[in-house]
Amino acid sequence: MKKIFSPIYIICLFFLFSCGTTKPVVTQEPVYEPEEPEKNEEIPAAANDDEYLRSVNDIEVTKETFTEDKTEIMHIISNLADIMADHDYDSWVKYMDDESVKYWSNPQNLKKASKMLPVQGLRMNNLHDYFTYVFIPSRQGREVDEIRYISKDNVKAVQVSSDTDIIYYYFTKINDKWLVHIPPLAS
């Protein structure tokens, strides 16, 4: 006659064997390990040689300087994206070079630029209008991939395209600080 084990009997056997001998748990005092400082997440991945060569062209800039400049410029662009989203004119002006502020505050230059706007009849009267009607619409939501040196102290921030680079920003370095430069209108 066959013996059939009931499910309860099988479960009891399982617990009996699984609970056999256990090793005693040894606790140790926690060891203090200092936390490593957080790494700056905004630092771009190390530039490959192709990007570096495209960016510096024939200008004598070390790879280290290139990486530092790109990191700083990309950080500024990120800040500008927040400023544009908030339409924060006062913060925006702090990122501008004096030459651009002076040029784009001139009513004659704004009048010429107003004629070039896609909205006919819209007139810019001051730098705030330029920020609202030109700067924000032409850059908001755009992606900048790389920088291109014009000189050691002048850089273009571009979106890489298969045919050509799309320029969204010009930067100039003044007193070791990168500032946005808005080129004057072509004569």
Side-chain angles (χ1 to χ4, degrees):
M1 181 167 156
K2 285 185 175 179
K3 274 191 167 177
I4 301 178
F5 295 105
S6 72
I8 294 175
Y9 181 72
I10 294 173
I11 291 173
C12 288
L13 284 174
F14 173 76
F15 282 117
L16 179 66
F17 288 112
S18 66
C19 294
T21 60
T22 59
K23 294 181 182 178
V25 177
V26 178
T27 59
Q28 294 179 344
E29 289 294 315
V31 177
Y32 173 75
E33 292 184 28
E35 293 182 26
E36 289 186 33
E38 289 185 30
K39 293 181 181 172
N40 185 349
E41 294 176 12
E42 295 181 34
I43 294 176
N48 64 36
D49 288 336
D50 290 340
E51 178 185 354
Y52 169 72
L53 293 173
R54 278 192 307 271
S55 295
V56 299
N57 204 3
D58 290 330
I59 298 173
E60 292 184 31
V61 174
T62 66
K63 201 166 189 178
E64 180 182 346
T65 299
F66 162 74
T67 302
E68 290 170 2
D69 288 347
K70 182 179 178 186
T71 299
E72 185 177 345
I73 288 168
M74 297 303 276
H75 179 73
I76 292 168
I77 291 170
S78 175
N79 290 345
L80 288 170
D82 294 339
I83 288 168
M84 288 185 286
D86 294 340
H87 291 265
D88 185 356
Y89 170 78
D90 293 328
S91 294
W92 174 72
V93 171
K94 294 173 186 174
Y95 285 93
M96 306 301 300
D97 71 346
D98 291 340
E99 181 183 323
S100 298
V101 170
K102 183 178 177 182
Y103 182 88
W104 290 102
S105 294
N106 182 320
Q108 294 299 327
N109 297 330
L110 291 168
K111 184 177 179 180
K112 288 179 202 172
S114 292
K115 293 177 184 176
M116 299 165 64
L117 291 174
V119 178
Q120 296 301 316
L122 183 64
R123 183 176 169 155
M124 293 184 288
N125 298 308
N126 52 44
L127 187 58
H128 190 282
D129 288 346
Y130 179 88
F131 171 66
T132 302
Y133 300 121
V134 177
F135 192 87
I136 291 176
S138 64
R139 292 166 181 87
Q140 194 169 32
R142 305 301 196 268
E143 289 293 322
V144 171
D145 304 311
E146 297 181 9
I147 62 173
R148 301 285 185 262
Y149 284 88
I150 301 167
S151 71
K152 287 184 177 186
D153 295 328
N154 292 290
V155 170
K156 299 182 278 189
V158 302
Q159 180 181 38
V160 178
S161 177
S162 59
D163 298 350
T164 184
D165 292 341
I166 302 167
I167 303 167
Y168 287 116
Y169 298 92
Y170 287 91
F171 287 90
T172 188
K173 195 172 207 174
I174 299 172
N175 298 325
D176 288 328
K177 183 178 178 184
W178 287 106
L179 297 171
V180 174
H181 175 74
I182 303 172
L185 296 169
S187 298

